[in-house]
Amino acid sequence: MVIKLGLAKEALFQTFDKARETESPFVFVKVNAEGTDEVIVIPAKSFDAKEQFYDKAYNNELVHVMNSKVCIRLVSYGVASDLYTII
């Protein structure tokens, strides 16, 4: 499932929740960092820690609190082959 953002932080939290509910092995986060898109692959064992990190590091509009040129553009969850849907 791909969730495109312009959404609030709640969408990010919902993605982690759905990944846990469906026992998905990964959450994918596409970040735009100063004009370059990067995809971060988060394994299930790191969901809690990364969710806490994103909560502190990004505002409600998913813009980094220390650098307004860094933002989360898209979130998804699934298996490794699903990564191709967001690259």
Side-chain angles (χ1 to χ4, degrees), residues 7-8 10-12 14-16 21-22 28 33 42 51-52 60 62-63 67 71-74 76 79-80 83:
L7 303 176
E10 187 60 31
L12 179 67
Q14 289 173 356
T15 301
F16 277 101
E21 288 173 19
T22 59
F28 308 107
I42 303 165
E51 188 173 25
Q52 290 173 10
N60 194 49
L62 297 174
V63 175
N67 184 347
C71 63
I72 295 174
R73 309 263 319 226
L74 180 143
S76 183
V79 296
L83 178 61

Side-chain angles (χ1 to χ4, degrees), residues 9-20 27 29 42-58 62 72:
K9 194 186 287 186
E10 187 60 31
L12 179 67
F13 297 149
Q14 289 173 356
T15 301
F16 277 101
D17 290 344
K18 284 300 230 178
R20 289 182 189 98
V27 166
V29 179
I42 303 165
K45 67 181 181 181
S46 299
F47 286 178
D48 292 340
K50 290 298 183 179
E51 188 173 25
Q52 290 173 10
F53 165 77
Y54 288 123
D55 188 31
K56 293 177 184 173
Y58 288 82
L62 297 174
I72 295 174

Side-chain angles (χ1 to χ4, degrees), residues 32-37 67-71:
N32 185 279
E34 300 188 14
T36 301
D37 284 339
N67 184 347
S68 64
K69 294 180 181 178
V70 177
C71 63

